[in-house]
Amino acid sequence: MKTVSLVDKTEELANKTVVFDFEGTLLRSTSLFPYFMLVAFEAGGLLRSFILFLSYPLVWLVGEDQLGFNIMLFLSFFGIRKDTFRIGSAVLPKFFLEDVGWEGFEAVMRCEKKVASSKLPRVMVEGFLKDYLGVEAVVARDIKSYKGYFLGLFEKKKENKTPLYEAKAGNDNTIGIIGSHIEYIEQELFPHFKKVYLMLSSEERRNWHVLPKERYPKPLIFHDGRLAFRPTPASTLAFCMWLPLGLFLSIFRFTFGIALPFNVSAPILAFSGTRTTVSRPQSPLSLVPNEENQKGMLYVCNHRTLLDPLYIAYVLDKPLSAVTYSLSRFNELVAPIRTIRLTRDRERDRETMDKLLSLGNLVVCPEGTTCREPYLLRFSPLFAELTDDIVPMAVDVNVSMFYGTTASGHKCLDPVFHLMNPNPTYFIKILDRLPRSQTCHEGGKSRIEVANFVQREIGKALGFACTSLTRKDKYMILAR
């Protein structure tokens, strides 16, 4: 079988039906260890991921594409609940997209119809292949389960319900693309393509370019999981070495951050590796409330982590209260500022916010939930009715090892994970106070118009795209 360059065959693939090997056609890397490590850590926890890492020398020795593959499968999936497994749709798509080669992606997306074959378990790849690549069907093996728990072994027999469409022998409109590992490819499909095989080499795939984010089939707005890095064997080793120091630093930063005033704790936190960048408006009068108004200033920010109100209170260096939806009881108790959980009852929440604003300054995150990517969710317009003294605050966060947010994990650990990063960075830009012409009371604008204006101003300051997605959309997408 002749090995060819897929780049030279791109035009030939146009308007064809393609049956392709996912790992060998689209992914630039040749190792599947990072994806099993993500499953082990996100679904099984720290101990399971540590055991998988310790087994990697054995996996490498016996062959990652042979017996080592079954070892990784067993250690990652054995004992995991089947009905709550969402890693394939909530965590892995981000890492798959970052590993997709631009050249392979362009070639496959030119085809009219696509059928994907994968050696990874169906539960890991099917959601990504159908949602992001629009494949007609996925040919992959299922994992055995017993009483609702994965056993970490492949099913011996499986029904092939894959629609073959035009994939019949002698049909010149169908092309099969495979990588260098033929033994895992669906044997019932590829014998039809002996005359139209295209085989790719691992060397060619390693030289492919990373798929730019603007070329993603659809925007990656939501994803879950704690790990922010691709857990290759080398990076996992660094992770294991950093973990004890990271946990100590997290406790150290958290203790000093809440126990000392910001002007005292800031140099100490900076010495420990945290970074906070603040951009202030040119006119300091933007932060001074109207003397005729008996209420405090309302600060409206986008939501990146649970620490947003705390950082805003520190950079403003003034007492304020915060209201938020996603707040655990533990975080509410240890917060150094007054923090109130909202109930999602509009009238009750409006009374709570109005009362807090009459007592002083208030910060609110109208998105209602966090978003990690450069997008802004729809702003709830409730805040616009409370006052005309509104100051938008643009917030961004940069982490390298852990995400300080979760949709399915323990939210009380969000600050711990954020502060465990080597150099957690916060960027806060204080924008000018809303013009009177863009407010509800003096400007005559509707509350929805005010909320949309604030969203656009924050998006413009950060370079983020504004969307109409809500908290409900986020959890529905991540729960699929």
Side-chain angles (χ1 to χ4, degrees):
M1 188 180 299
K2 184 180 179 180
T3 301
V4 299
S5 173
L6 191 59
V7 178
D8 300 333
K9 297 290 183 178
T10 301
E11 295 299 328
E12 182 181 327
L13 295 175
N15 301 319
K16 301 283 186 179
T17 296
V18 65
V19 183
F20 66 95
D21 167 26
F22 169 55
E23 296 83 12
T25 305
L26 289 179
L27 300 186
R28 297 165 59 244
S29 64
T30 57
S31 174
L32 298 179
F33 173 82
Y35 304 112
F36 284 111
M37 178 57 71
L38 286 166
V39 172
F41 183 84
E42 304 295 353
L46 181 61
L47 179 60
R48 183 187 294 265
S49 59
F50 186 64
I51 294 173
L52 177 61
F53 172 68
L54 292 179
S55 73
Y56 184 74
L58 176 62
V59 171
W60 178 82
L61 185 64
V62 300
E64 190 176 319
D65 298 311
Q66 300 173 15
L67 179 60
F69 183 88
N70 294 327
I71 295 174
M72 293 190 295
L73 176 72
F74 180 80
L75 293 178
S76 300
F77 278 93
F78 180 77
I80 300 295
R81 286 186 63 89
K82 183 178 180 179
D83 58 347
T84 59
F85 187 85
R86 297 290 184 272
I87 307 302
S89 58
V91 177
L92 294 181
K94 169 186 180 292
F95 296 92
F96 281 143
L97 287 170
E98 291 175 349
D99 195 23
V100 166
W102 192 355
E103 291 81 354
F105 172 81
E106 291 290 334
V108 170
M109 295 305 289
R110 279 178 172 269
C111 300
E112 182 179 359
K113 292 181 178 179
K114 300 173 282 291
V115 176
S117 176
S118 175
K119 58 190 173 188
L120 287 170
R122 179 185 301 276
V123 73
M124 290 178 64
V125 297
E126 187 170 42
F128 169 74
L129 290 171
K130 288 187 174 181
D131 291 345
Y132 284 88
L133 300 183
V135 301
E136 305 286 342
V138 177
V139 181
R141 291 171 291 181
D142 294 314
I143 304 176
K144 289 182 180 180
S145 61
Y146 179 73
K147 292 187 177 181
Y149 291 88
F150 287 120
L151 297 180
L153 303 172
F154 279 127
E155 294 281 2
K156 294 289 185 182
K157 297 179 180 179
K158 61 177 172 49
E159 298 180 7
N160 182 13
K161 300 180 180 180
T162 304
L164 298 183
Y165 302 103
E166 297 89 350
K168 301 297 182 182
N171 189 338
D172 293 334
N173 199 43
T174 305
I175 292 180
I177 307 177
I178 66 176
S180 56
H181 307 294
I182 308 172
E183 60 271 23
Y184 289 99
I185 297 194
E186 175 58 53
Q187 298 301 317
E188 297 180 24
L189 288 180
F190 279 89
H192 296 296
F193 314 118
K194 290 181 179 178
K195 295 183 180 179
V196 282
Y197 262 139
L198 298 180
M199 185 173 179
L200 307 180
S201 66
S202 56
E203 290 76 14
E204 178 190 0
R205 289 188 285 125
R206 277 194 290 263
N207 293 327
W208 282 353
H209 297 87
V210 178
L211 180 66
K213 287 189 175 183
E214 57 269 17
R215 301 304 300 269
Y216 283 2
K218 68 176 186 179
L220 177 68
I221 301 178
F222 302 121
H223 56 87
D224 202 10
R226 290 293 190 184
L227 293 185
F229 66 98
R230 178 180 174 81
T232 62
S235 59
T236 304
L237 175 60
F239 160 74
C240 293
M241 295 173 63
W242 170 259
L243 202 57
L245 177 60
L247 184 59
F248 169 77
L249 277 179
S250 179
I251 298 173
F252 175 84
R253 292 163 173 171
F254 187 81
T255 303
F256 278 86
I258 65 176
L260 300 176
F262 180 69
N263 57 352
V264 178
S265 64
I268 301 176
L269 295 177
F271 180 77
S272 72
T274 63
R275 301 289 183 267
T276 305
T277 303
V278 182
S279 176
R280 301 182 183 276
Q282 294 182 351
S283 174
L285 295 178
S286 297
L287 304 180
V288 180
N290 191 343
E291 294 182 357
E292 299 178 358
N293 191 354
Q294 300 300 316
K295 299 180 179 180
M297 188 73 77
L298 179 61
Y299 298 97
V300 180
C301 70
N302 58 306
H303 204 7
R304 304 301 274 182
T305 77
L306 286 178
L307 297 176
D308 295 340
L310 192 59
Y311 272 88
I312 289 175
Y314 282 163
V315 300
L316 292 175
D317 195 23
K318 59 176 66 175
L320 54 76
S321 304
V323 290
T324 183
Y325 294 100
S326 53
L327 184 69
S328 69
R329 175 66 66 179
F330 173 76
N331 295 134
E332 185 178 7
L333 291 174
V334 301
I337 62 174
R338 179 186 296 177
T339 307
I340 306 297
R341 285 184 293 176
L342 296 180
T343 63
R344 302 190 188 281
D345 181 321
R346 184 176 178 276
E347 291 302 322
R348 184 176 175 184
D349 290 342
R350 188 185 188 283
E351 291 178 5
T352 300
M353 294 169 65
D354 196 47
K355 180 180 178 180
L356 291 172
L357 199 57
S358 64
L359 297 176
N361 302 313
L362 178 66
V363 58
V364 60
C365 306
E367 287 177 292
T369 187
T370 57
C371 182
R372 300 172 175 177
E373 297 299 319
Y375 297 92
L376 296 181
L377 309 187
R378 183 179 69 84
F379 277 30
S380 171
L382 182 59
F383 72 89
E385 306 172 355
L386 303 176
T387 180
D388 286 348
D389 289 329
I390 300 175
V391 177
M393 308 278 287
V395 179
D396 196 12
V397 174
N398 184 33
V399 296
S400 58
M401 189 169 287
F402 300 103
Y403 286 114
T405 61
T406 181
S408 57
H410 299 289
K411 292 186 180 297
C412 61
L413 297 178
D414 285 359
V416 176
F417 275 101
H418 175 78
L419 295 174
M420 281 177 65
N421 284 284
N423 300 108
T425 303
Y426 248 90
F427 171 78
I428 299 177
K429 186 173 184 178
I430 308 173
L431 306 182
D432 290 324
R433 185 169 56 186
L434 250 61
R436 294 298 177 183
S437 59
Q438 297 295 330
T439 60
C440 285
H441 301 135
E442 292 191 27
K445 299 289 184 179
S446 69
R447 59 193 185 96
I448 296 178
E449 288 177 319
V450 174
N452 290 341
F453 178 79
V454 174
Q455 184 197 41
R456 287 194 301 270
E457 290 299 302
I458 294 178
K460 190 187 306 180
L462 294 173
F464 287 6
C466 297
T467 74
S468 59
L469 298 173
T470 64
R471 177 184 181 275
K472 182 179 180 180
D473 295 319
K474 170 184 174 178
Y475 284 91
M476 287 182 63
I477 291 172
L478 295 179
R480 287 188 299 185

